Amino acid sequence: NAGVMQNPRHLVRRRGQEARLRCSPMKGHSHVYWYRQLPEEGLKFMVYLQKENIIDESGMPKERFSAEFPKEGPSILRIQQVVRGDSAAYFCASSPRVTLNTEAFFGQGTRLTVV
Amino acid sequence: AQKVTQAQTEISVVEKEDVTLDCVYETRDTTYYLFWYKQPPSGELVFLIRRNSFDEQNEISGRYSWNFQKSTSSFNFTITASQVVDSAVYFCALSESSNSGYALNFGKGTSLLVTP
């Protein structure tokens, strides 16, 4: 049973380009969370999605950032017109259901560097 | 407001010393979960423990132990006889029912360096 798969592991983009980060949840998991870890910081919640629905995007920057979790395929975190401040590690987590007692499983993260 | 506070930014110990990492949390919920994760230099997040708010029993797993005290809102983590491989950043996190999807609130982490 494969874990949460994120790709790419490392991504380099020039300022102004688009970054697409992918997250394939564990089999049977229909809930996905994205977190951002800025340098020297803890992880910050960005967005919570279920299949085809954004449930809570309160942690997402209002501009340039978007997320989706289609019926088929991985969840995508998209950052348009990247700036240096977007350089961070982006982690995805998935869980099979939403209860307080459910553990979310983390992927290995995508490290985005904007040059 | 920071819901999870890890006051120790960096700790450096010599191998075989014991070390305690502090975690203080803030919540109005009566039911919540607390977590510890390890982030080694390779960058992935390694789950260490999950504890619910109704279980204040201390837990020991090998060289690791956790002390949960609701009275002081603390969930401290002790490594006994530390080893170089314990060098990592350690994160404490809180999951509350008031968070959408029970998303985690992380502390800023404590960077532990164990030297030979």
Short mmCIF file of all heavy atoms in Angstrom, two decimals, chain A residues 44-102:
data_model
loop_
_atom_site.label_atom_id
_atom_site.label_comp_id
_atom_site.label_asym_id
_atom_site.label_seq_id
_atom_site.Cartn_x
_atom_site.Cartn_y
_atom_site.Cartn_z
N LYS A 44 2.18 25.30 7.96
CA LYS A 44 0.95 26.09 8.08
C LYS A 44 -0.10 25.51 7.14
O LYS A 44 0.18 25.26 5.96
CB LYS A 44 1.20 27.55 7.67
CG LYS A 44 2.23 28.26 8.50
CD LYS A 44 1.65 28.75 9.81
CE LYS A 44 2.64 29.69 10.48
NZ LYS A 44 2.38 29.83 11.89
N PHE A 45 -1.29 25.32 7.65
CA PHE A 45 -2.39 24.81 6.87
C PHE A 45 -2.73 25.78 5.73
O PHE A 45 -2.77 27.00 5.93
CB PHE A 45 -3.61 24.63 7.77
CG PHE A 45 -4.91 24.42 7.05
CD1 PHE A 45 -5.19 23.19 6.48
CD2 PHE A 45 -5.82 25.44 6.92
CE1 PHE A 45 -6.39 22.97 5.81
CE2 PHE A 45 -7.03 25.25 6.25
CZ PHE A 45 -7.30 24.02 5.70
N MET A 46 -2.94 25.21 4.55
CA MET A 46 -3.33 26.03 3.41
C MET A 46 -4.78 25.74 2.99
O MET A 46 -5.63 26.64 2.94
CB MET A 46 -2.42 25.79 2.22
CG MET A 46 -0.97 26.14 2.45
SD MET A 46 0.02 25.85 0.99
CE MET A 46 -0.49 27.23 -0.03
N VAL A 47 -5.05 24.47 2.69
CA VAL A 47 -6.34 24.15 2.10
C VAL A 47 -6.69 22.71 2.41
O VAL A 47 -5.81 21.85 2.53
CB VAL A 47 -6.32 24.40 0.57
CG1 VAL A 47 -5.27 23.54 -0.12
CG2 VAL A 47 -7.68 24.20 -0.07
N TYR A 48 -8.02 22.48 2.53
CA TYR A 48 -8.55 21.14 2.78
C TYR A 48 -9.56 20.83 1.68
O TYR A 48 -10.46 21.62 1.43
CB TYR A 48 -9.18 21.10 4.17
CG TYR A 48 -10.14 19.95 4.41
CD1 TYR A 48 -9.81 18.64 4.07
CD2 TYR A 48 -11.36 20.18 5.02
CE1 TYR A 48 -10.69 17.61 4.30
CE2 TYR A 48 -12.25 19.15 5.27
CZ TYR A 48 -11.92 17.87 4.90
OH TYR A 48 -12.79 16.84 5.15
N LEU A 49 -9.35 19.69 1.01
CA LEU A 49 -10.22 19.33 -0.10
C LEU A 49 -10.75 17.92 0.07
O LEU A 49 -10.09 17.05 0.63
CB LEU A 49 -9.45 19.37 -1.44
CG LEU A 49 -8.63 20.59 -1.78
CD1 LEU A 49 -7.15 20.36 -1.52
CD2 LEU A 49 -8.84 20.98 -3.23
N GLN A 50 -11.94 17.73 -0.42
CA GLN A 50 -12.47 16.39 -0.66
C GLN A 50 -12.61 16.25 -2.17
O GLN A 50 -12.49 17.23 -2.89
CB GLN A 50 -13.81 16.21 0.04
CG GLN A 50 -13.71 16.26 1.56
CD GLN A 50 -15.07 16.11 2.22
OE1 GLN A 50 -16.02 15.59 1.64
NE2 GLN A 50 -15.16 16.58 3.45
N LYS A 51 -12.89 15.06 -2.60
CA LYS A 51 -13.00 14.84 -4.04
C LYS A 51 -13.94 15.88 -4.67
O LYS A 51 -15.10 16.00 -4.27
CB LYS A 51 -13.57 13.44 -4.31
CG LYS A 51 -12.55 12.32 -4.15
CD LYS A 51 -11.63 12.24 -5.33
CE LYS A 51 -10.72 11.01 -5.23
NZ LYS A 51 -9.79 10.93 -6.36
N GLU A 52 -13.40 16.62 -5.61
CA GLU A 52 -14.14 17.61 -6.41
C GLU A 52 -14.63 18.81 -5.60
O GLU A 52 -15.38 19.64 -6.13
CB GLU A 52 -15.33 16.96 -7.13
CG GLU A 52 -14.92 15.85 -8.10
CD GLU A 52 -16.09 15.28 -8.87
OE1 GLU A 52 -16.75 14.37 -8.34
OE2 GLU A 52 -16.34 15.76 -9.98
N ASN A 53 -14.24 18.93 -4.37
CA ASN A 53 -14.71 20.06 -3.56
C ASN A 53 -13.58 20.66 -2.74
O ASN A 53 -12.78 19.96 -2.14
CB ASN A 53 -15.80 19.60 -2.58
CG ASN A 53 -17.11 19.33 -3.28
OD1 ASN A 53 -17.65 20.20 -3.95
ND2 ASN A 53 -17.60 18.12 -3.13
N ILE A 54 -13.57 21.99 -2.70
CA ILE A 54 -12.70 22.70 -1.77
C ILE A 54 -13.53 22.97 -0.52
O ILE A 54 -14.55 23.65 -0.58
CB ILE A 54 -12.19 24.02 -2.36
CG1 ILE A 54 -11.34 23.75 -3.60
CG2 ILE A 54 -11.39 24.80 -1.32
CD1 ILE A 54 -10.93 25.01 -4.34
N ILE A 55 -13.11 22.42 0.61
CA ILE A 55 -13.88 22.55 1.83
C ILE A 55 -13.45 23.80 2.62
O ILE A 55 -14.27 24.54 3.15
CB ILE A 55 -13.75 21.31 2.72
CG1 ILE A 55 -14.09 20.05 1.92
CG2 ILE A 55 -14.63 21.45 3.96
CD1 ILE A 55 -15.48 20.03 1.33
N ASP A 56 -12.16 24.01 2.69
CA ASP A 56 -11.65 25.13 3.48
C ASP A 56 -10.35 25.59 2.85
O ASP A 56 -9.39 24.83 2.82
CB ASP A 56 -11.43 24.70 4.93
CG ASP A 56 -10.93 25.83 5.83
OD1 ASP A 56 -10.62 26.92 5.31
OD2 ASP A 56 -10.85 25.62 7.05
N GLU A 57 -10.33 26.79 2.34
CA GLU A 57 -9.10 27.35 1.76
C GLU A 57 -8.66 28.59 2.53
O GLU A 57 -8.02 29.48 1.99
CB GLU A 57 -9.29 27.66 0.28
CG GLU A 57 -10.46 28.57 -0.04
CD GLU A 57 -10.64 28.79 -1.53
OE1 GLU A 57 -9.75 28.40 -2.32
OE2 GLU A 57 -11.67 29.37 -1.91
N SER A 58 -9.00 28.62 3.81
CA SER A 58 -8.73 29.81 4.61
C SER A 58 -7.24 30.10 4.77
O SER A 58 -6.85 31.22 5.06
CB SER A 58 -9.37 29.67 5.99
OG SER A 58 -8.88 28.52 6.65
N GLY A 59 -6.39 29.10 4.56
CA GLY A 59 -4.96 29.31 4.71
C GLY A 59 -4.24 29.63 3.41
O GLY A 59 -3.02 29.83 3.40
N MET A 60 -4.98 29.70 2.35
CA MET A 60 -4.38 29.96 1.03
C MET A 60 -4.27 31.47 0.80
O MET A 60 -5.19 32.21 1.08
CB MET A 60 -5.27 29.38 -0.06
CG MET A 60 -5.22 27.89 -0.11
SD MET A 60 -4.19 27.29 -1.42
CE MET A 60 -5.35 27.43 -2.76
N PRO A 61 -3.13 31.90 0.26
CA PRO A 61 -3.06 33.30 -0.19
C PRO A 61 -4.18 33.57 -1.19
O PRO A 61 -4.55 32.70 -1.96
CB PRO A 61 -1.68 33.38 -0.85
CG PRO A 61 -0.88 32.30 -0.18
CD PRO A 61 -1.85 31.20 0.08
N LYS A 62 -4.70 34.76 -1.14
CA LYS A 62 -5.88 35.08 -1.95
C LYS A 62 -5.58 35.11 -3.43
O LYS A 62 -6.45 34.82 -4.26
CB LYS A 62 -6.45 36.44 -1.51
CG LYS A 62 -7.02 36.44 -0.11
CD LYS A 62 -8.35 35.72 -0.05
CE LYS A 62 -8.99 35.82 1.31
NZ LYS A 62 -8.45 34.87 2.27
N GLU A 63 -4.37 35.44 -3.77
CA GLU A 63 -4.04 35.56 -5.19
C GLU A 63 -2.97 34.55 -5.57
O GLU A 63 -2.15 34.14 -4.76
CB GLU A 63 -3.52 36.98 -5.48
CG GLU A 63 -4.58 38.05 -5.24
CD GLU A 63 -4.04 39.46 -5.43
OE1 GLU A 63 -2.82 39.60 -5.61
OE2 GLU A 63 -4.86 40.39 -5.40
N ARG A 64 -3.02 34.14 -6.79
CA ARG A 64 -2.01 33.29 -7.46
C ARG A 64 -2.06 31.82 -7.04
O ARG A 64 -1.49 31.00 -7.75
CB ARG A 64 -0.59 33.84 -7.24
CG ARG A 64 -0.40 35.27 -7.71
CD ARG A 64 1.07 35.69 -7.62
NE ARG A 64 1.56 35.69 -6.23
CZ ARG A 64 2.38 34.78 -5.73
NH1 ARG A 64 2.84 33.78 -6.48
NH2 ARG A 64 2.77 34.86 -4.47
N PHE A 65 -2.66 31.51 -5.94
CA PHE A 65 -2.69 30.13 -5.46
C PHE A 65 -4.08 29.52 -5.71
O PHE A 65 -5.10 30.16 -5.47
CB PHE A 65 -2.40 30.06 -3.95
CG PHE A 65 -0.97 30.25 -3.58
CD1 PHE A 65 -0.37 31.49 -3.71
CD2 PHE A 65 -0.22 29.17 -3.12
CE1 PHE A 65 0.97 31.67 -3.36
CE2 PHE A 65 1.11 29.35 -2.77
CZ PHE A 65 1.71 30.60 -2.89
N SER A 66 -4.07 28.26 -6.16
CA SER A 66 -5.33 27.54 -6.31
C SER A 66 -5.06 26.06 -6.08
O SER A 66 -3.93 25.60 -6.22
CB SER A 66 -5.94 27.78 -7.69
OG SER A 66 -5.08 27.30 -8.70
N ALA A 67 -6.12 25.35 -5.74
CA ALA A 67 -5.98 23.91 -5.50
C ALA A 67 -7.20 23.21 -6.04
O ALA A 67 -8.30 23.77 -6.09
CB ALA A 67 -5.82 23.63 -4.01
N GLU A 68 -6.98 21.96 -6.45
CA GLU A 68 -8.09 21.15 -6.91
C GLU A 68 -7.83 19.70 -6.55
O GLU A 68 -6.69 19.27 -6.36
CB GLU A 68 -8.27 21.29 -8.42
CG GLU A 68 -7.10 20.81 -9.25
CD GLU A 68 -7.37 20.92 -10.74
OE1 GLU A 68 -8.34 21.58 -11.14
OE2 GLU A 68 -6.59 20.32 -11.50
N PHE A 69 -8.91 18.95 -6.49
CA PHE A 69 -8.82 17.52 -6.23
C PHE A 69 -9.92 16.89 -7.08
O PHE A 69 -11.04 16.70 -6.64
CB PHE A 69 -9.04 17.24 -4.74
CG PHE A 69 -8.79 15.81 -4.33
CD1 PHE A 69 -8.08 14.92 -5.12
CD2 PHE A 69 -9.26 15.37 -3.10
CE1 PHE A 69 -7.86 13.62 -4.72
CE2 PHE A 69 -9.03 14.06 -2.67
CZ PHE A 69 -8.33 13.19 -3.49
N PRO A 70 -9.59 16.57 -8.32
CA PRO A 70 -10.61 16.08 -9.25
C PRO A 70 -11.06 14.67 -8.91
O PRO A 70 -10.43 13.96 -8.12
CB PRO A 70 -9.88 16.12 -10.61
CG PRO A 70 -8.43 16.03 -10.27
CD PRO A 70 -8.27 16.70 -8.94
N LYS A 71 -12.14 14.28 -9.55
CA LYS A 71 -12.70 12.96 -9.32
C LYS A 71 -11.67 11.87 -9.64
O LYS A 71 -11.56 10.86 -8.95
CB LYS A 71 -13.94 12.77 -10.18
CG LYS A 71 -14.72 11.50 -9.91
CD LYS A 71 -15.98 11.46 -10.76
CE LYS A 71 -16.76 10.18 -10.47
NZ LYS A 71 -17.99 10.12 -11.30
N GLU A 72 -10.94 12.09 -10.71
CA GLU A 72 -9.89 11.17 -11.08
C GLU A 72 -8.55 11.92 -11.07
O GLU A 72 -8.48 13.05 -11.50
CB GLU A 72 -10.13 10.61 -12.49
CG GLU A 72 -11.46 9.87 -12.65
CD GLU A 72 -11.48 8.56 -11.90
OE1 GLU A 72 -10.40 8.01 -11.63
OE2 GLU A 72 -12.59 8.09 -11.57
N GLY A 73 -7.54 11.27 -10.57
CA GLY A 73 -6.22 11.87 -10.61
C GLY A 73 -5.82 12.53 -9.31
O GLY A 73 -6.60 12.58 -8.35
N PRO A 74 -4.61 13.06 -9.30
CA PRO A 74 -4.07 13.61 -8.06
C PRO A 74 -4.66 14.99 -7.73
O PRO A 74 -5.27 15.64 -8.57
CB PRO A 74 -2.57 13.74 -8.36
CG PRO A 74 -2.52 13.99 -9.83
CD PRO A 74 -3.65 13.18 -10.41
N SER A 75 -4.41 15.41 -6.52
CA SER A 75 -4.70 16.78 -6.14
C SER A 75 -3.57 17.67 -6.67
O SER A 75 -2.40 17.26 -6.68
CB SER A 75 -4.79 16.90 -4.62
OG SER A 75 -4.97 18.24 -4.23
N ILE A 76 -3.92 18.84 -7.11
CA ILE A 76 -2.94 19.77 -7.68
C ILE A 76 -2.96 21.08 -6.88
O ILE A 76 -4.04 21.64 -6.65
CB ILE A 76 -3.25 20.11 -9.14
CG1 ILE A 76 -3.38 18.84 -9.99
CG2 ILE A 76 -2.21 21.07 -9.71
CD1 ILE A 76 -2.08 18.14 -10.28
N LEU A 77 -1.80 21.52 -6.48
CA LEU A 77 -1.64 22.87 -5.93
C LEU A 77 -0.93 23.69 -7.00
O LEU A 77 0.16 23.32 -7.43
CB LEU A 77 -0.83 22.85 -4.64
CG LEU A 77 -0.60 24.21 -3.97
CD1 LEU A 77 -1.92 24.80 -3.47
CD2 LEU A 77 0.39 24.07 -2.81
N ARG A 78 -1.56 24.74 -7.41
CA ARG A 78 -1.04 25.54 -8.52
C ARG A 78 -0.68 26.94 -8.02
O ARG A 78 -1.49 27.59 -7.34
CB ARG A 78 -2.10 25.62 -9.60
CG ARG A 78 -1.72 26.35 -10.86
CD ARG A 78 -2.90 26.33 -11.81
NE ARG A 78 -2.64 27.09 -13.01
CZ ARG A 78 -3.58 27.70 -13.71
NH1 ARG A 78 -4.84 27.65 -13.33
NH2 ARG A 78 -3.26 28.36 -14.79
N ILE A 79 0.51 27.36 -8.35
CA ILE A 79 0.95 28.71 -7.98
C ILE A 79 1.31 29.43 -9.27
O ILE A 79 2.23 29.02 -9.99
CB ILE A 79 2.17 28.68 -7.05
CG1 ILE A 79 1.95 27.70 -5.88
CG2 ILE A 79 2.45 30.08 -6.52
CD1 ILE A 79 3.19 27.48 -5.02
N GLN A 80 0.58 30.47 -9.55
CA GLN A 80 0.84 31.24 -10.77
C GLN A 80 1.80 32.39 -10.47
O GLN A 80 1.83 32.92 -9.36
CB GLN A 80 -0.48 31.79 -11.32
CG GLN A 80 -1.44 30.72 -11.78
CD GLN A 80 -2.76 31.30 -12.29
OE1 GLN A 80 -3.56 31.79 -11.51
NE2 GLN A 80 -2.97 31.26 -13.59
N GLN A 81 2.57 32.74 -11.47
CA GLN A 81 3.47 33.90 -11.39
C GLN A 81 4.26 33.88 -10.07
O GLN A 81 4.19 34.81 -9.27
CB GLN A 81 2.66 35.20 -11.52
CG GLN A 81 1.94 35.31 -12.84
CD GLN A 81 1.04 36.54 -12.92
OE1 GLN A 81 0.34 36.86 -11.96
NE2 GLN A 81 1.09 37.23 -14.04
N VAL A 82 5.01 32.83 -9.88
CA VAL A 82 5.72 32.64 -8.62
C VAL A 82 6.66 33.79 -8.32
O VAL A 82 7.22 34.41 -9.23
CB VAL A 82 6.48 31.29 -8.59
CG1 VAL A 82 5.52 30.13 -8.68
CG2 VAL A 82 7.53 31.23 -9.70
N VAL A 83 6.81 34.04 -7.03
CA VAL A 83 7.75 35.05 -6.53
C VAL A 83 8.69 34.36 -5.55
O VAL A 83 8.43 33.23 -5.12
CB VAL A 83 7.02 36.21 -5.83
CG1 VAL A 83 6.05 36.89 -6.80
CG2 VAL A 83 6.26 35.73 -4.60
N ARG A 84 9.79 35.04 -5.21
CA ARG A 84 10.79 34.42 -4.35
C ARG A 84 10.19 33.97 -3.01
O ARG A 84 10.58 32.96 -2.45
CB ARG A 84 11.95 35.40 -4.10
CG ARG A 84 12.82 35.57 -5.32
CD ARG A 84 14.28 35.36 -4.97
NE ARG A 84 15.09 35.32 -6.19
CZ ARG A 84 15.76 36.34 -6.66
NH1 ARG A 84 15.76 37.50 -6.01
NH2 ARG A 84 16.47 36.22 -7.76
N GLY A 85 9.23 34.73 -2.52
CA GLY A 85 8.61 34.39 -1.25
C GLY A 85 7.80 33.11 -1.26
O GLY A 85 7.39 32.62 -0.20
N ASP A 86 7.56 32.56 -2.45
CA ASP A 86 6.84 31.28 -2.54
C ASP A 86 7.78 30.10 -2.30
O ASP A 86 7.32 28.96 -2.17
CB ASP A 86 6.20 31.12 -3.92
CG ASP A 86 5.14 32.18 -4.20
OD1 ASP A 86 4.54 32.68 -3.22
OD2 ASP A 86 4.93 32.51 -5.39
N SER A 87 9.07 30.36 -2.24
CA SER A 87 10.03 29.28 -1.99
C SER A 87 9.75 28.67 -0.63
O SER A 87 9.77 29.36 0.40
CB SER A 87 11.47 29.82 -2.03
OG SER A 87 11.80 30.29 -3.32
N ALA A 88 9.47 27.40 -0.63
CA ALA A 88 9.08 26.71 0.60
C ALA A 88 8.97 25.23 0.30
O ALA A 88 9.07 24.80 -0.85
CB ALA A 88 7.72 27.23 1.10
N ALA A 89 8.73 24.46 1.37
CA ALA A 89 8.37 23.06 1.19
C ALA A 89 6.86 22.95 1.31
O ALA A 89 6.26 23.53 2.23
CB ALA A 89 9.04 22.20 2.24
N TYR A 90 6.26 22.25 0.39
CA TYR A 90 4.81 22.09 0.37
C TYR A 90 4.50 20.62 0.65
O TYR A 90 4.94 19.74 -0.09
CB TYR A 90 4.23 22.54 -0.97
CG TYR A 90 4.36 24.02 -1.19
CD1 TYR A 90 5.56 24.57 -1.67
CD2 TYR A 90 3.32 24.89 -0.88
CE1 TYR A 90 5.70 25.94 -1.85
CE2 TYR A 90 3.45 26.25 -1.05
CZ TYR A 90 4.64 26.77 -1.53
OH TYR A 90 4.78 28.13 -1.69
N PHE A 91 3.75 20.39 1.71
CA PHE A 91 3.41 19.04 2.11
C PHE A 91 1.92 18.77 1.89
O PHE A 91 1.07 19.63 2.13
CB PHE A 91 3.72 18.81 3.60
CG PHE A 91 5.18 18.70 3.90
CD1 PHE A 91 5.92 19.83 4.21
CD2 PHE A 91 5.82 17.47 3.87
CE1 PHE A 91 7.28 19.74 4.50
CE2 PHE A 91 7.17 17.36 4.14
CZ PHE A 91 7.90 18.50 4.46
N CYS A 92 1.66 17.58 1.47
CA CYS A 92 0.30 17.11 1.29
C CYS A 92 0.06 16.00 2.31
O CYS A 92 0.97 15.23 2.63
CB CYS A 92 0.15 16.58 -0.13
SG CYS A 92 -1.31 15.61 -0.44
N ALA A 93 -1.15 15.95 2.85
CA ALA A 93 -1.54 14.86 3.74
C ALA A 93 -2.90 14.34 3.29
O ALA A 93 -3.70 15.10 2.73
CB ALA A 93 -1.61 15.34 5.19
N SER A 94 -3.15 13.07 3.53
CA SER A 94 -4.45 12.52 3.17
C SER A 94 -5.01 11.69 4.33
O SER A 94 -4.26 11.19 5.17
CB SER A 94 -4.37 11.66 1.90
OG SER A 94 -3.74 10.42 2.15
N SER A 95 -6.32 11.57 4.37
CA SER A 95 -6.95 10.73 5.37
C SER A 95 -8.18 10.09 4.74
O SER A 95 -8.76 10.62 3.78
CB SER A 95 -7.31 11.51 6.63
OG SER A 95 -8.33 12.44 6.37
N PRO A 96 -8.60 8.95 5.29
CA PRO A 96 -9.74 8.24 4.70
C PRO A 96 -11.09 8.82 5.08
O PRO A 96 -12.08 8.62 4.38
CB PRO A 96 -9.59 6.82 5.28
CG PRO A 96 -8.87 7.01 6.57
CD PRO A 96 -7.96 8.19 6.38
N ARG A 97 -11.14 9.51 6.19
CA ARG A 97 -12.40 10.08 6.66
C ARG A 97 -12.06 11.22 7.61
O ARG A 97 -10.92 11.36 8.04
CB ARG A 97 -13.24 9.03 7.38
CG ARG A 97 -12.52 8.41 8.57
CD ARG A 97 -13.23 7.18 9.11
NE ARG A 97 -12.42 6.55 10.14
CZ ARG A 97 -11.42 5.71 9.89
NH1 ARG A 97 -11.12 5.41 8.65
NH2 ARG A 97 -10.74 5.18 10.88
N VAL A 98 -13.06 11.97 7.93
CA VAL A 98 -12.81 13.13 8.77
C VAL A 98 -13.41 12.91 10.14
O VAL A 98 -14.61 13.09 10.36
CB VAL A 98 -13.40 14.41 8.14
CG1 VAL A 98 -13.16 15.60 9.05
CG2 VAL A 98 -12.77 14.65 6.79
N THR A 99 -12.59 12.46 11.03
CA THR A 99 -12.96 12.43 12.45
C THR A 99 -11.74 12.87 13.22
O THR A 99 -10.61 12.81 12.72
CB THR A 99 -13.35 11.01 12.93
OG1 THR A 99 -12.17 10.20 12.94
CG2 THR A 99 -14.40 10.39 12.03
N LEU A 100 -11.96 13.28 14.43
CA LEU A 100 -10.84 13.75 15.25
C LEU A 100 -9.85 12.63 15.50
O LEU A 100 -8.67 12.85 15.74
CB LEU A 100 -11.38 14.32 16.55
CG LEU A 100 -10.44 15.22 17.37
CD1 LEU A 100 -9.92 16.35 16.49
CD2 LEU A 100 -11.17 15.78 18.57
N ASN A 101 -10.35 11.42 15.41
CA ASN A 101 -9.52 10.26 15.75
C ASN A 101 -8.75 9.73 14.54
O ASN A 101 -8.08 8.72 14.64
CB ASN A 101 -10.43 9.16 16.31
CG ASN A 101 -9.63 8.02 16.90
OD1 ASN A 101 -8.52 8.22 17.40
ND2 ASN A 101 -10.16 6.82 16.82
N THR A 102 -8.84 10.40 13.42
CA THR A 102 -8.21 9.87 12.22
C THR A 102 -6.86 10.52 11.99
O THR A 102 -6.74 11.73 11.99
CB THR A 102 -9.10 10.13 10.99
OG1 THR A 102 -10.38 9.58 11.23
CG2 THR A 102 -8.50 9.49 9.75
#
